[in-house]
Amino acid sequence: MPWRSVLCSPRSPGGTPRSLSLLQRPRSWFRKTAAALSSEGKQSWTMTQQPLRGVTSLRFNQDQSCFCCAMETGVRIYNVEPLMEKGHLDHEQVGSMGLVEMLHRSNLLALVGGGSSPKFSEISGLCDLCPSLEKQLLVFPGHKCGSLQLVDLASTKPGTSSAPFTINAHQSDVACVSLNQPGTVVASASQKGTLIRLFDTQSKEKLVELRRGTDPATLYCINFSHDSSFLCASSDKGTVHIFALKDTRLNRRSALARVGKVGPMIGQYVDSQWSLASFTVPAESACICAFGRNTSKNVNSVIAICVDGTFHKYVFTPDGNCNREAFDVYLDICDDDDF
């Protein structure tokens, strides 16, 4: 199947990126999908300073089996395990890129211009689309500060509007959001970056509160494992945190939890759950993270991909033991085949 290198081209009169639909799905579905994919959101990170090695953003596809690298010099697409370049588009074809999204493992890409010499529209925003093909759920920040809105795209019809479900998730603006694979749970973090809160997408009830740390931080990425047993998150502190969701007893608790009754402010801190495991990458190099293939029943892995061109794979066990299993420089891996 030939690659189609441009999904999002300059804006239509209504302000929505135009899209080309070539897969066997209704055109209305792809119009909604393209709009969602074109916004900066889950499992992606966009440079705001001078790009490292020309990388402007990184983004996984929906099942985290591939990742897209947007660069000043074009686009590169990589397979995660084993790590290899699947193809590339050079600057003459697409210009400098701000964001690239791959639709599952298809030949369909969404391209958003950026950097010093873009050929396509530059847009920004925050949203996430459910990775499942069976559920077309879209989540994005609401009008109210710190709120999330969820829309079932399958129930929307042209020319009609319906009120989205609203979740009051944080007290400050939402900065990062992610849906699990079946679309049953949404995770979000605010601009403060100290807490990650998980909500049921049906009942809107808060399920758990996870604490990344006590100092403010910018979260680059939040991702669920494929079975939603774990969650990982990366930030500008240079640390990737791993939390247990299926068995939250594995997560660490504050030592103050053994003290007993405490005041309301300290109580919020004590009640939070801390990561069961973590590892570090260069703090000056932003990264995205996702779960890799399980090597055994009790050993899981997390992949971290950094804008400095480095690839890290760590394995962890339920008791919190975490060790690096693989390291590579993905920008040094070349493939001579164009899309």
Side-chain angles (χ1 to χ4, degrees):
M1 184 182 294
W3 286 93
R4 293 295 175 177
S5 60
V6 178
L7 173 62
C8 290
S9 59
R11 289 174 180 266
S12 64
T16 302
R18 295 191 180 97
S19 62
L20 301 176
S21 173
L22 297 176
L23 300 186
Q24 294 179 348
R25 276 188 168 273
R27 289 192 178 187
S28 60
W29 187 92
F30 264 103
R31 281 195 292 268
K32 298 167 186 173
T33 304
L37 296 180
S38 302
S39 297
E40 175 191 353
K42 165 194 168 184
Q43 58 200 25
S44 70
W45 182 80
T46 304
M47 288 288 297
T48 56
Q49 298 177 346
Q50 184 66 26
L52 294 174
R53 295 195 65 176
V55 177
T56 55
S57 74
L58 295 166
R59 191 168 177 91
F60 286 108
N61 67 339
Q62 285 77 11
D63 65 0
Q64 293 94 49
S65 62
C66 297
F67 69 94
C68 304
C69 179
M71 306 181 70
E72 283 283 342
T73 55
V75 173
R76 292 190 185 184
I77 306 295
Y78 294 88
N79 189 76
V80 174
E81 294 185 277
L83 178 64
M84 64 177 66
E85 183 179 299
K86 301 297 292 182
H88 57 269
L89 297 166
D90 61 28
H91 187 273
E92 292 184 359
Q93 294 171 286
V94 296
S96 59
M97 299 305 306
L99 182 64
V100 183
E101 169 85 11
M102 180 181 185
L103 185 61
H104 297 281
R105 290 187 68 92
S106 73
N107 66 331
L108 201 59
L109 300 178
L111 307 180
V112 179
S116 59
S117 54
K119 283 190 176 183
F120 305 107
S121 299
E122 297 183 56
I123 57 178
S124 62
L126 179 65
C127 72
D128 188 29
L129 188 67
C130 177
S132 173
L133 293 173
E134 285 73 39
K135 193 166 187 177
Q136 300 173 26
L137 185 65
L138 178 69
V139 60
F140 52 91
H143 296 292
K144 182 182 177 181
C145 179
S147 67
L148 297 171
Q149 290 190 331
L150 296 106
V151 177
D152 184 358
L153 298 179
S155 63
T156 60
K157 297 180 180 179
T160 64
S161 61
S162 57
F165 294 104
T166 300
I167 297 174
N168 294 317
H170 304 277
Q171 294 181 339
S172 56
D173 289 334
V174 176
C176 197
V177 65
S178 177
L179 286 162
N180 67 343
Q181 291 284 329
T184 56
V185 180
V186 59
S188 65
S190 71
Q191 290 182 346
K192 189 175 180 181
T194 55
L195 296 172
I196 301 171
R197 293 186 173 125
L198 278 68
F199 298 88
D200 186 292
T201 58
Q202 291 293 326
S203 67
K204 300 186 289 183
E205 294 181 359
K206 185 171 73 173
L207 301 175
V208 67
E209 182 174 279
L210 308 172
R211 180 169 289 277
R212 180 211 55 82
T214 56
D215 296 331
T218 299
L219 262 70
Y220 296 134
C221 174
I222 299 174
N223 250 322
F224 291 85
S225 63
H226 298 289
D227 62 357
S228 300
S229 294
F230 298 97
L231 179 144
C232 62
S234 63
S235 74
D236 62 354
K237 297 295 184 181
T239 305
V240 175
H241 293 272
I242 304 165
F243 301 89
L245 301 182
K246 186 176 182 180
D247 185 359
T248 56
R249 295 172 299 178
L250 297 175
N251 294 327
R252 295 181 297 115
R253 302 300 202 280
S254 168
L256 294 174
R258 295 188 292 269
V259 173
K261 188 176 180 180
V262 294
M265 295 300 294
I266 299 179
Q268 295 177 10
Y269 175 88
V270 171
D271 293 339
S272 297
Q273 301 185 25
W274 299 66
S275 59
L276 75 90
S278 64
F279 61 89
T280 59
V281 295
E284 69 278 4
S285 180
C287 78
I288 56 174
C289 57
F291 289 89
R293 300 172 183 172
N294 290 354
T295 55
S296 69
K297 183 178 180 180
N298 293 320
V299 178
N300 297 274
S301 63
V302 171
I303 305 293
I305 301 167
C306 302
V307 297
D308 65 356
T310 57
F311 173 97
H312 310 257
K313 180 180 180 180
Y314 280 77
V315 294
F316 69 96
T317 55
D319 62 1
N321 187 32
C322 188
N323 296 288
R324 190 166 75 177
E325 184 179 77
F327 172 84
D328 213 326
V329 180
Y330 64 86
L331 289 180
D332 292 342
I333 299 174
C334 297
D335 189 314
D336 292 333
D337 295 329
D338 291 334
F339 285 172

